[in-house]
Amino acid sequence: TTIRYWHYLNIIIFIIVVIGSLVLVSLIIDRSITRPLRKTVMLADNMAQGDLSRKLDIYQHDEIGELAQSMNIMAEKIRLSYAQLEQQVAQRTASLRQTNVELENEIAERKQAEIALRDSQNKYKTLYESSPDAILLHGPDGCYQSCNTAALKLFGFKNQQECFAKSPGDISSEYQPDGQLSFVNAQALIAIAMKIGSYQFEWKC
């Protein structure tokens, strides 16, 4: 009976030692492997959600510690890249705003210029049409392109289309007072005016 008692006691002690060893090994594995890996997975999840502020604590210098260090380095690089990207976006946004302001100012200036041009054209048209002096405009080809009401009355044109078919030589005497042919003299004087911008002279029609 005593031998059996010690035999069972030894078996129980062995079982307790085995279970204790397994528990101890499990705790060691959990602390050195499972828990760091779980934290690494949590850090990866946080990084995927945009939270780059957290870091892993490194308690050991083995493969798990190297993995944690690599994760920390990667998170820091991503954080720096994200910060640089935000800075670039802010700079480009500011640049776009400045460009928009400049475009708005340019559009406003163009609108003002268009309004001023229309006003100038209206004033010119009013002066052109209401002038008591005959005014005829012609292009480089020598033919008239426009004339005011006074010119129509002075030269007896029925309308502006009839004026457009004429040239200075057609409404002038054959010769000018200086003895030159009107057609030839008109071309010479027109060439001078075109070259220097304007030219004033007397002409016999």
Side-chain angles (χ1 to χ4, degrees):
T1 303
T2 304
I3 294 174
R4 284 182 179 180
Y5 172 77
W6 284 106
H7 180 69
Y8 289 137
L9 182 62
N10 286 333
I11 292 175
I12 292 172
I13 292 172
F14 176 76
I15 292 173
I16 292 173
V17 169
V18 170
I19 293 174
S21 299
L22 291 174
V23 170
L24 181 61
V25 170
S26 176
L27 291 174
I28 293 173
I29 291 175
D30 181 68
R31 182 174 181 179
S32 61
I33 298 176
T34 306
R35 193 180 301 173
L37 288 177
R38 192 181 301 116
K39 289 183 177 180
T40 303
V41 172
M42 290 176 62
L43 177 63
D45 290 338
N46 292 333
M47 290 171 59
Q49 296 174 5
D51 183 6
L52 303 173
S53 60
R54 300 184 182 182
K55 290 186 178 181
L56 292 174
D57 296 327
I58 301 174
Y59 299 106
Q60 54 203 50
H61 300 284
D62 53 7
E63 290 81 359
I64 302 298
E66 291 178 0
L67 177 61
Q69 180 67 20
S70 298
M71 290 293 291
N72 288 338
I73 294 173
M74 183 171 63
E76 180 64 17
K77 288 183 177 180
I78 294 175
R79 186 187 67 79
L80 291 175
S81 298
Y82 185 73
Q84 291 176 354
L85 181 61
E86 283 187 332
Q87 184 178 6
Q88 290 177 357
V89 169
Q91 291 175 349
R92 291 182 180 179
T93 301
S95 177
L96 286 174
R97 288 176 181 171
Q98 179 64 27
T99 302
N100 287 335
V101 170
E102 293 175 356
L103 286 175
E104 289 175 357
N105 292 337
E106 184 177 350
I107 291 172
E109 291 176 357
R110 287 187 178 182
K111 287 182 178 179
Q112 292 178 354
E114 289 175 359
I115 293 173
L117 179 61
R118 282 198 300 269
D119 291 342
S120 177
Q121 289 175 339
N122 291 333
K123 291 177 181 178
Y124 166 78
K125 185 177 181 180
T126 300
L127 293 172
Y128 179 72
E129 291 296 336
S130 62
S131 174
D133 296 323
I135 302 174
L136 299 98
L137 304 178
H138 62 78
D141 59 354
C143 292
Y144 291 113
Q145 297 178 342
S146 177
C147 64
N148 64 352
T149 304
L152 292 176
K153 293 179 180 179
L154 178 65
F155 296 105
F157 297 140
K158 296 178 181 179
N159 49 48
Q160 288 202 355
Q161 282 69 27
E162 185 179 352
C163 173
F164 297 161
K166 304 293 184 179
S167 66
D170 297 325
I171 61 172
S172 307
S173 57
E174 185 178 2
Y175 292 92
Q176 288 298 308
D178 60 2
Q180 294 191 27
L181 287 170
S182 294
F183 181 75
V184 176
N185 201 15
Q187 289 182 334
L189 295 174
I190 289 171
I192 295 173
M194 295 290 289
K195 183 177 181 180
I196 65 177
S198 65
Y199 191 60
Q200 185 174 350
F201 54 87
E202 292 186 3
W203 188 259
K204 181 180 180 182
C205 296

